[in-house]
Amino acid sequence: MFKQITSLNGNEWYLISSLWMFIIFFITVAILLIKMKKQHMDYMRHLPLEDEPEIPEELTEKN
Amino acid sequence: MQLETFNYDNRIVRNFGIATIFWGIVGMSVGLLAAIQLVWPFMNFESPVTTFGRIRPVHTNAVIFAFVGNGIFMGVYYSLQRLLKARMYSDALSKIHFWGWQLIILAAAITLPLGWTTSHEYAELEWPIDVAITIIWVVFGINMFGTIIRRRERHMYVAIWFYIATFVTIAVLHIVNSAELPISAFKSYYIYAGVQDALVQWWYGHNAVAFFLTTPYLGLMYYFLPKMANRPVYSYKLSILHFWSLIFIYIWAGPHHLLYTSLPGWIQSVGVVFSIMLIAPSWGGMINGLLTLRGAWDKVRTEPTLKFMVVALTAYGMATFEGPMLSLKQVNAIAHFTDWIIAHVHVGALGWNGFMTFAILYWAIPRIYGTPLYSKRLAGVHFWIGTLGILFYAIPMYWAAVVQGLMWKEFTPEGVLKYPSFLATTLQILPMHMLRAVGGGLYLSGALLMTYNLVRTMRQGKLIANESAQAMPLEPIQFTEKSKHRRLERKPVLFMVVALVVILIGGMVEMMPTFMISSNVPTISSVKPYTPLELQGRDIYIREGCVNCHSQTVRPFRSETARYGEYSKAGEFVYDHPFLWGSKRTGPDLHRIGKKYPNKWHFDHLMDPTITSPGSIMPPYPWLIEQKLDTTTTVAKITAMRKLGVPYPSGYEYQANGDLDQQAKAIAADLKASQVNVSPDKEIIAIVAYLQRLGTDIKVTEK
């Protein structure tokens, strides 16, 4: 599948450095995630649900 | 601290909602017309303004920037106010944003059929409209950040991160890809040429999909899906991980649109690898969405909004799996330039964007009008018609793609192409094109049904233009939050800067070496600038949108070199402002068409393609024989090209029209010898000159 990656004529530096950039970035985000508290997560998850009342019952669609 | 009372601005949400519906129907109707023309070309009504090459960008721009664009703004203006517990920063900016965006769309709807196009896909609009887009986008940004700054909720919910990433990335993409040198009020040349132009365009094109069709819709999904299901999002941690991974990886994947072209191999490989990696964050979003419905699947049976959302998420999952698969070189070799790409795009556009837009409209319009939906049953019918429309669209396109892709590559046991006539492969898939038009018609019918349903809903309710709400004001921060990400979630400007850095990394790593290291684009000494007549002919080629059906890049496959000739080299395109490689072969590649046929063949073919190619679905271009070539622009064009680095001698612009006349007379004389009487000052002479030049510089070297 990745046959093309083995013959880059010296340009593999670009590919390897790109992947390293992503790995470092990904690990940084993962560490930030691990450090976050569950309480904050739960609060943030529920944000969209607390913003407005639902359509009144008497207006429930009849069709 | 006292509870504050304030209002949400629902009028702007309603306005964008109506614009979404209106432009959606316009864009889909134009798409249907284009689809019908791919079976019956006479459906262009013999007018240049309704011919496929010109209306295809009308369709794509209308659907992407008018339908989806207005849908984004509708959803953002609705959700942003509620997530931040604040009215939009400025009603005046909201109005400027709305009317400015509609005027831009109107300008596009007028200029594109007139052939005023840059030819860059999804960025066809000419420079004055590009400037207007920049201004209106900044207005949107000020309004959004102003609202964020005046918020009553300290932390920004994940949906808002996606909105911020969308704003900043689209700004970068639009500015970089709109670097043009104007030569008149509605004509410009890109400052980039050939391979570099191709890289910039597909960095833009791919990320327009990413940051206009994907990230804002993920933001909308994170707000509206929990609302519709009345369940919190499945995993907030997953949303953080998938947000940062998505915006980091997406920006690298553009080069997969240029596999096997003369783009440097290392960039192609980087594009492939990051495209494969993209599956993970994309599916992270899809899984997070679908799992949000856990415990609420019973509602899917009865709620049309959730039905639309489930299909939207499924289509997103399919398209984001298929995209990386198409990036594999082995798959791309068969699928690229075929209808597979059209199917892939439409699974995303019709399923993901279209269905989520419908769901949001069905959900938001009743709420801002304080009334239930007029008819759930009609919405259900819309859902099934729309779903059938997607299936009738996509399945025939996949079928057509596999049939045609394999026919292009098939050799006889004797070692020659089994289908040397490109037209034979086109005619084979016409029934599939007919079915595709049926699918498009079904989808449009569903949208019309929705329009009726929503109009009746609006009539039975009354717009709550200023919806009252209450919230506590933000208290001053008393302590430092330990979590860095939590701190980031309450600092919008810092968040924007971090997102900007993240998206710039990929673009810079790929583009800077291509621009700065000359070995990435080797020059060829025999490649010379276009003559003035060829340059004028090239601009007619751009105006008529020939690039929408014909590629100009021969890939290094035996099946392509046997059909078209020598494969294309990077050095052959160094004077091409813009590049015209195309992305779809409804007709054959034209890069080696030069000198392949006599002038008379091209004249006949443009006048009526069925003369030279019986059964052809290419439309005739009789107006090229009638219209006189405008040579008043030659001086400005040559001057602009020299400024961009094309080596025309100093002062050549003043003798260019003399050379143009001479070459035109030679072609007219040659046509006359073949019993064709046409004046040398007609447009057809220029486009024949251009076509006869294509790919011939390499042939000179071979002699």
Side-chain angles (χ1 to χ4, degrees), chain B residues 245-290:
Chain B
S245 308
L246 192 85
I247 68 165
F248 184 94
I249 296 176
Y250 234 127
I251 210 86
W252 299 73
H256 69 214
H257 290 260
L258 298 166
L259 298 183
Y260 292 112
T261 66
S262 46
L263 187 76
W266 68 267
I267 309 182
Q268 296 185 32
S269 297
V270 170
V272 170
V273 171
F274 277 85
S275 299
I276 303 299
M277 287 161 66
L278 201 46
I279 294 177
S282 300
W283 276 41
M286 177 196 67
I287 289 166
N288 216 1
L290 288 176

Side-chain angles (χ1 to χ4, degrees), chain A residues 8 11 14 18 21-22 25 32 36 40-41 43-45 47-52 54 59 61 63, chain B residues 78 82 85 153 157 223 226-227 233 236 252 269 277 367 370 372-374 376 486 489 505 517:
Chain A
L8 290 177
N11 283 320
Y14 292 106
S18 308
M21 279 181 212
F22 174 72
F25 179 79
L32 288 176
M36 289 185 88
H40 176 66
M41 295 287 174
Y43 174 76
M44 294 303 288
R45 283 174 69 213
L47 265 185
L49 301 177
E50 61 178 48
D51 62 10
E52 67 183 318
E54 285 296 304
L59 292 177
E61 187 262 342
N63 293 288
Chain B
Y78 186 93
R82 285 156 177 85
K85 298 186 175 67
E153 175 60 54
Y157 181 64
Y223 177 78
K227 300 288 291 181
V233 63
Y236 203 73
W252 299 73
S269 297
M277 287 161 66
R367 277 161 178 79
L373 184 65
Y374 169 69
K376 255 189 192 178
R486 204 171 154 182
E489 285 172 17
I505 293 171
I517 302 171

Side-chain angles (χ1 to χ4, degrees), chain B residues 223-472:
Chain B
Y223 177 78
F224 285 99
L225 187 62
K227 300 288 291 181
M228 292 171 189
N230 199 25
R231 292 277 189 288
V233 63
Y234 171 68
S235 167
Y236 203 73
K237 278 192 177 179
L238 182 55
S239 72
I240 295 174
L241 192 64
H242 117 87
F243 168 79
W244 288 110
S245 308
L246 192 85
I247 68 165
F248 184 94
I249 296 176
Y250 234 127
I251 210 86
W252 299 73
H256 69 214
H257 290 260
L258 298 166
L259 298 183
Y260 292 112
T261 66
S262 46
L263 187 76
W266 68 267
I267 309 182
Q268 296 185 32
S269 297
V270 170
V272 170
V273 171
F274 277 85
S275 299
I276 303 299
M277 287 161 66
L278 201 46
I279 294 177
S282 300
W283 276 41
M286 177 196 67
I287 289 166
N288 216 1
L290 288 176
L291 288 180
T292 298
L293 289 171
R294 77 208 182 288
W297 281 97
D298 55 310
K299 286 187 184 173
V300 176
R301 208 170 53 230
T302 54
E303 290 300 321
T305 53
L306 285 177
K307 284 193 175 99
F308 279 108
M309 289 301 266
V310 168
V311 172
L313 281 163
T314 309
Y316 177 62
M318 284 168 61
T320 52
F321 177 74
E322 189 184 22
M325 291 302 106
L326 285 168
S327 304
L328 293 172
K329 280 192 155 183
Q330 291 80 353
V331 180
N332 192 275
I334 294 173
H336 197 50
F337 294 128
T338 72
D339 286 319
W340 198 326
I341 311 304
I342 316 300
H344 169 61
V345 166
H346 281 81
V347 167
L350 302 176
W352 167 242
N353 297 113
F355 267 33
M356 193 182 297
T357 306
F358 299 149
I360 294 170
L361 281 165
Y362 280 126
W363 196 86
I365 295 289
R367 277 161 178 79
I368 63 174
Y369 275 80
T371 182
L373 184 65
Y374 169 69
S375 170
K376 255 189 192 178
R377 193 173 301 160
L378 271 185
V381 174
H382 173 198
F383 169 77
W384 286 110
I385 291 180
T387 305
L388 272 177
I390 295 172
L391 294 175
F392 267 91
Y393 192 106
I395 295 169
M397 286 291 92
Y398 287 124
W399 194 292
V402 174
V403 168
Q404 195 176 31
L406 293 176
M407 285 176 86
W408 287 344
K409 288 190 168 292
E410 193 167 351
F411 282 86
T412 64
E414 291 75 30
V416 294
L417 284 170
K418 187 169 181 184
Y419 304 99
S421 160
F422 188 96
L423 184 59
T425 71
T426 306
L427 297 177
Q428 187 71 27
I429 59 170
L430 283 193
M432 299 299 131
H433 281 192
M434 288 177 200
L435 278 176
R436 179 260 295 269
V438 171
L442 282 170
Y443 195 86
L444 175 61
S445 314
L448 290 171
L449 210 56
M450 176 194 71
T451 307
Y452 171 75
N453 203 355
L454 291 179
V455 168
R456 293 299 297 257
T457 306
M458 289 179 193
R459 280 191 182 168
Q460 77 186 8
K462 189 171 184 301
L463 178 69
I464 308 164
N466 295 297
E467 187 181 321
S468 181
Q470 289 186 320
M472 294 294 284

Side-chain angles (χ1 to χ4, degrees), chain B residues 496-697:
Chain B
M496 184 184 74
V497 172
V498 174
L500 177 65
V501 171
V502 167
I503 62 109
L504 283 179
I505 293 171
M508 288 173 75
V509 169
E510 287 179 346
M511 272 194 265
M512 286 177 73
T514 316
F515 280 79
M516 297 173 80
I517 302 171
S518 58
S519 63
N520 274 314
V521 186
T523 51
I524 301 169
S525 60
S526 63
V527 174
K528 305 292 181 204
Y530 294 106
T531 67
L533 185 66
E534 290 159 4
L535 191 61
Q536 291 284 10
R538 192 172 201 269
D539 285 339
I540 295 170
Y541 185 96
I542 290 170
R543 183 191 73 194
E544 297 304 332
C546 306
V547 71
N548 289 298
C549 291
H550 295 282
S551 59
Q552 283 188 23
T553 186
V554 181
R555 298 179 294 176
F557 300 133
R558 184 179 155 222
S559 59
E560 296 211 0
T561 53
R563 184 181 300 278
Y564 304 118
E566 181 71 9
Y567 68 87
S568 302
K569 320 283 191 296
E572 291 184 84
F573 303 107
V574 289
Y575 304 131
D576 283 8
H577 297 269
F579 84 114
L580 292 172
W581 295 358
S583 63
K584 172 74 173 69
R585 285 178 183 159
T586 304
D589 186 277
L590 298 181
H591 193 213
R592 300 290 175 213
I593 195 78
K595 303 284 187 285
K596 192 172 178 181
Y597 303 108
N599 293 332
K600 168 83 163 54
W601 187 94
H602 286 292
F603 182 91
D604 289 346
H605 188 242
L606 287 164
M607 183 174 69
D608 179 0
T610 58
I611 296 174
T612 53
S613 315
S616 171
I617 57 166
M618 177 171 145
Y621 289 84
W623 53 88
L624 297 179
I625 302 169
E626 293 154 16
Q627 287 173 185
K628 205 173 159 186
L629 181 68
D630 177 12
T631 54
T632 60
T633 55
T634 310
V635 172
K637 287 181 178 181
I638 298 286
T639 308
M641 283 293 177
R642 193 191 305 107
K643 278 184 191 163
L644 295 173
V646 180
Y648 290 112
S650 178
Y652 179 70
E653 60 269 31
Y654 300 110
Q655 70 178 75
N657 270 335
D659 288 358
L660 182 151
D661 285 339
Q662 212 175 350
Q663 190 182 4
K665 281 174 185 163
I667 294 171
D670 178 67
L671 287 169
K672 194 170 186 183
S674 306
Q675 285 77 49
V676 175
N677 275 317
V678 60
S679 171
D681 62 357
K682 300 299 182 190
E683 287 185 338
I684 197 162
I685 300 290
I687 198 165
V688 168
Y690 171 62
L691 291 170
Q692 291 289 35
R693 171 66 186 276
L694 281 175
T696 53
D697 288 348

